[in-house]
Amino acid sequence: MIPIFDSKRQYNQIGSEVEKAVCEVLRSGCYILGPNAKALENELAQYIGCKYTVGLNSGTDALHLALRALDIGAGDEVITVAFTFVATAEAIGIVGAKPVFCEIKSDTFEMDASSIEKLITPRTKAIIPVHLYGQPCDMDAIMDIAKRHNLHVIEDCAQAIGAKYKGKMVGTFGDFGCLSFYPTKNLGGMGDGGLIMTNDEKLRDRVIALRNHGGAVRYHHDEIGVNSRLDEIQAAILRIKLRHIDSWNEQRRAHAYRYNELFAGHPEIVTPVEADNTYCVYHQYTIKVPNRDEVFDMLHERGIGAMLYYPIPLHLQKVHNYLGMEKGSLPVTEHNTDVVMSLPMFPELTDEEQQQVASAVIECVEKASSKAAV
Ligand SMILES: *Cc1c(COP(=O)(O)O)cnc(C)c1O
């Protein structure tokens, strides 16, 4: 069995350090808003190259509180992609605004900036580009549209910590960048966690208040907030892992290029395309194959943990029925949903395992094609 992701192998590397740090937190008696959360915020701001960060309960809260801090709510529209994890659009719904879905580019899977402008209305307040699979979006084009139409930009960096566009970290282009520390993310905790990045002090202060019941001063509440604070145990674990993030991302990239080589000479298997001037961190290594569903089942029979990210685009999810978007309204998004498949990808993946995965994929694709031809 070769899993899509293996958190145990990472634990074997850093386990003793983590156990020591967690015990220190347990003994300290300080579990919320303590020294580890503060230190992680500072270390991440330095790593990303932004002025401020605020630790939160989840990536979903990071997106939701970024929207709240920008005063986006009922009656407003926010443009994003339908080819992403549901949380991106869910955050828009949580604040009472309406998600408006634009297209993606077929080769890079990222937001197609050329599909944005025709969706802008007087109610449009923001754009949420998603650096999906660890691939940066075309931030020059997106920021240019945002500036011309006076829109906010919130970058969903949940899958892309450390990714760069033209040498600059993702999350530093818009008003906000949002990270998730869900365990399988490139920088994952051992539980839930998230964080916002910003260069704007006022926005930072607003999120600090919102995450703690809507008040910056204890027992003084200015607005309805939430309870969303990154706990000390997660922060202590993430501080240890942050020291490895660059080397782990480098290992992911090396695996991606090795997969590309292993699939060279098999044109029916479309390997991921990197946009110019980007540094991709391969949260997922996602290929496109014919007869995808059949190939996927065959791989699972052979113990290869392939996954479909994501099997149903967000505009066709029941939760978004009210938008009235029919099948066929986002053809590139829908087509990609039908053909993509993500393969095992994590830093500790071995050459031998990659070889096994690639041979199995090539064999299954050939088998499914010859069956389909009969
Ligand atoms: C994981 C993820 C989120 C949500 O993060 P959580 O920490 O699970 O709430 C949002 N957007 C994308 C693209 C993600 O992959």
Side-chain angles (χ1 to χ4, degrees):
M1 173 72 199
I2 304 175
I4 183 96
F5 179 82
D6 188 345
S7 45
K8 279 195 202 141
R9 285 193 223 180
Q10 196 180 66
Y11 193 73
N12 289 340
Q13 248 184 81
I14 55 167
S16 58
E17 218 183 330
V18 166
E19 285 166 20
K20 190 166 158 275
V22 169
C23 278
E24 273 169 28
V25 173
L26 296 179
R27 291 193 197 108
S28 78
C30 175
Y31 308 132
I32 298 277
L33 294 180
N36 279 289
K38 195 75 234 150
L40 178 72
E41 286 174 348
N42 291 336
E43 287 158 13
L44 264 167
Q46 188 158 22
Y47 174 72
I48 299 291
C50 63
K51 281 196 188 147
Y52 313 108
T53 70
V54 182
L56 303 165
N57 267 351
S58 68
T60 308
D61 275 353
L63 291 160
H64 147 221
L65 295 181
L67 288 159
R68 281 283 314 273
L70 293 166
D71 288 317
I72 294 168
D76 296 332
E77 293 175 0
V78 178
I79 297 174
T80 190
V81 288
F83 195 76
T84 176
F85 180 57
V86 68
T88 314
E90 187 179 35
I92 300 168
I94 289 172
V95 301
K98 189 173 110 174
V100 175
F101 296 114
C102 69
E103 265 291 18
I104 57 164
K105 291 189 217 168
S106 191
D107 56 351
T108 61
F109 309 110
E110 304 307 327
M111 178 174 260
D112 181 354
S114 73
S115 73
I116 294 174
E117 264 179 309
K118 54 180 170 286
L119 299 173
I120 295 174
T121 74
R123 293 177 296 283
T124 309
K125 292 284 154 34
I127 305 173
I128 306 186
V130 182
H131 306 297
L132 197 75
Y133 304 149
Q135 302 220 59
C137 296
D138 184 357
M139 290 314 294
D140 277 353
I142 293 165
M143 293 310 295
D144 178 58
I145 292 167
K147 282 208 183 88
R148 276 191 286 113
H149 296 271
N150 203 17
L151 303 175
H152 295 295
V153 173
I154 299 169
E155 295 173 71
D156 184 340
C157 306
Q159 303 190 359
I161 184 167
K164 291 176 205 154
Y165 176 80
K166 298 196 171 168
K168 198 169 162 235
M169 289 273 187
V170 300
T172 59
F173 292 86
D175 300 84
F176 280 111
C178 299
L179 285 179
S180 162
F181 303 128
Y182 183 77
T184 63
K185 300 286 157 82
N186 288 28
L187 178 64
M190 294 173 184
D192 276 310
L195 174 135
I196 61 95
M197 313 174 253
T198 185
N199 287 317
D200 185 316
E201 193 178 358
K202 281 212 182 85
L203 291 178
R204 188 259 328 241
D205 291 345
R206 187 86 189 277
V207 174
I208 285 178
L210 285 168
R211 78 169 170 180
N212 201 17
H213 306 289
V217 179
R218 190 179 271 191
Y219 306 127
H220 293 252
H221 308 282
D222 306 325
E223 59 180 325
I224 297 292
V226 296
N227 173 354
S228 183
R229 301 164 305 218
L230 185 67
D231 69 76
E232 282 291 289
I233 290 178
Q234 293 311 323
I237 294 167
L238 289 163
R239 289 182 69 199
I240 292 166
K241 289 198 175 192
L242 180 60
R243 299 204 287 269
H244 299 272
I245 191 67
D246 282 337
S247 76
W248 286 339
N249 280 343
E250 275 295 322
Q251 283 170 282
R252 286 173 179 272
R253 287 165 57 81
H255 297 333
Y257 300 142
R258 178 118 203 284
Y259 270 138
N260 288 351
E261 274 170 30
L262 292 167
F263 292 128
H266 296 275
E268 68 284 13
I269 298 166
V270 179
T271 54
V273 172
E274 290 188 358
D276 291 341
N277 291 311
T278 57
Y279 179 89
C280 303
V281 295
Y282 290 95
H283 176 60
Q284 299 297 342
Y285 180 86
T286 304
I287 57 173
K288 300 195 231 183
V289 293
N291 309 299
R292 195 271 318 271
D293 290 340
E294 207 181 337
V295 171
F296 177 80
D297 290 343
M298 287 160 83
L299 285 172
H300 276 254
E301 278 161 26
R302 288 165 196 228
I304 308 287
M307 290 290 274
L308 308 182
Y309 300 120
Y310 294 91
I312 305 169
L314 297 189
H315 66 296
L316 301 179
Q317 295 279 356
K318 190 172 169 192
V319 62
H320 294 129
N321 276 356
Y322 77 99
L323 297 173
M325 289 183 82
E326 309 259 311
K327 212 171 170 154
S329 52
L330 294 173
V332 180
T333 295
E334 290 167 32
H335 173 70
N336 273 285
T337 304
D338 291 338
V339 297
V340 291
M341 187 169 68
S342 300
L343 301 180
M345 171 55 84
F346 48 92
E348 303 79 11
L349 192 65
T350 66
D351 280 3
E352 202 184 322
E353 286 171 319
Q354 278 202 279
Q355 188 85 50
Q356 260 176 281
V357 171
S359 320
V361 169
I362 292 164
E363 214 180 295
C364 293
V365 166
E366 277 167 6
K367 247 193 189 150
S369 296
S370 59
K371 244 200 229 164
V374 176

